[in-house]
Amino acid sequence: MDFFEAVKARRSVRTYTDKAVPEEVIQKALDAALLAPNSSNMQTWGFYWVKSAEKKEALVKACLSQSAARTAQELVVIVAEPSLWRRNQKEMLRTLNENAGPKFALDYYGKLIPFLYGFQFLAPLKWLMFNGMGIFRPMARRPWSPRDNAEVSIKSAALASENFMLAISAQGFATCPMEGFDEVRVKRILKLKRSSRVVMVVSVGEANAEKGIWGPQLRFHREWFVHEV
Ligand SMILES: Cc1cc2nc3c(=O)[nH]c(=O)nc-3n(C[C@H](O)[C@H](O)[C@H](O)COP(=O)(O)O)c2cc1C
């Protein structure tokens, strides 16, 4: 399917049919998700395709038993996992060293990334430093706090979610992104770390022809949102 057709075909579907989604459809969409742009290429995300019937049942309940989850054939939970920075930073340094990467990249991943993601006890000092230097010159003011680190990962995971949903749409199936869930319970089901944030639970299936989509796609006035400044 052409890219713009896939974008237009994607709608949030709340009722699915009983048609199974072939394994390769999900795998292909997961591969597309992994190609999403992400902050510093640190890939601090996780994609949990819930296959166990027991976990799926618990997840539907944690999604407040909403019909987009209840009638879904598949459920994929997209998670921001900021704590993965340590493992991924090591892998990045290993890859750079193996390929004789440039010094600026080695410095970036060897020094700046640990300073930004680690040393969280220095958060107030980082804030003071970034904002103090920012008086005199343009300065990236964030991330200085653990919350900022989570936000960085959440942005990347949200982009991956969209790649995933468009890839499903391009293969003729439907999705619904959900944030209507009990995050504490979802984290417990998936045994996630305390610092992890559940970004979206995405349901997948074939749209029910009558009840799948609630109505025409509604967007407000373009000029409210698009600003050519
Ligand atoms: C972050 C996010 C959370 C959402 N959570 C839910 C949800 O919990 N349940 C639901 O039925 N739809 C959910 N939606 C779907 C939106 O309601 C939907 O995208 C919006 O109404 C626009 O419709 P469309 O996706 O068909 O264009 C969510 C969408 C996003 C992006």
Side-chain angles (χ1 to χ4, degrees), residues 29-228:
L30 288 169
D31 289 341
L34 290 167
L35 292 180
N38 64 92
S39 184
S40 297
N41 207 8
M42 286 300 286
Q43 303 165 55
T44 51
W45 50 29
F47 304 88
Y48 295 80
W49 179 6
V50 179
K51 290 182 160 179
S52 125
E54 199 183 314
K55 281 197 169 67
K56 220 163 154 180
E57 196 188 326
L59 184 58
V60 169
K61 281 193 189 136
C63 289
L64 317 175
S65 300
Q66 54 177 301
S67 100
R70 220 177 47 240
T71 66
Q73 289 298 316
E74 303 295 339
L75 291 169
V76 175
V77 186
I78 298 168
V79 182
E81 308 202 281
S83 68
L84 293 183
W85 78 268
R86 276 179 205 283
R87 180 197 69 188
N88 297 0
Q89 178 241 10
K90 282 198 190 92
E91 182 64 8
M92 184 62 87
L93 284 176
R94 194 191 61 73
T95 312
L96 283 169
N97 282 316
E98 218 172 79
N99 296 290
K103 187 179 172 328
F104 80 85
L106 284 162
D107 282 348
Y108 185 83
Y109 287 105
K111 294 177 187 157
L112 189 63
I113 288 290
F115 177 68
L116 293 175
Y117 278 87
F119 301 104
Q120 299 200 333
F121 61 97
L122 293 179
L125 209 69
K126 287 186 201 174
W127 181 88
L128 205 66
M129 191 178 143
F130 297 160
N131 285 287
M133 287 164 80
I135 296 171
F136 304 104
R137 63 179 177 90
M139 186 71 206
R141 313 283 176 127
R142 292 170 191 275
W144 61 268
S145 65
R147 199 189 169 112
D148 286 347
N149 286 337
E151 193 177 289
V152 166
S153 298
I154 290 167
K155 285 183 203 172
S156 300
L159 291 174
S161 305
E162 179 69 340
N163 266 22
F164 177 79
M165 290 188 284
L166 289 179
I168 295 285
S169 159
Q171 297 177 88
F173 284 89
T175 56
C176 186
M178 287 173 274
E179 63 186 348
F181 52 73
D182 178 332
E183 191 176 17
V184 172
R185 285 189 163 78
V186 176
K187 285 174 79 166
R188 206 178 294 145
I189 294 162
L190 301 177
K191 299 188 171 63
L192 299 176
K193 290 212 170 81
R194 261 166 78 99
S195 60
S196 294
R197 293 296 312 274
V198 181
V199 174
M200 259 171 261
V201 179
V202 180
S203 58
V204 187
E206 182 194 53
N208 177 298
E210 291 103 53
K211 294 180 282 177
I213 293 167
W214 281 347
Q217 196 167 32
L218 169 69
R219 291 296 186 268
F220 305 127
H221 313 290
R222 192 178 194 273
E223 59 273 19
W224 282 10
F225 309 109
V226 180
H227 311 286
E228 296 187 19

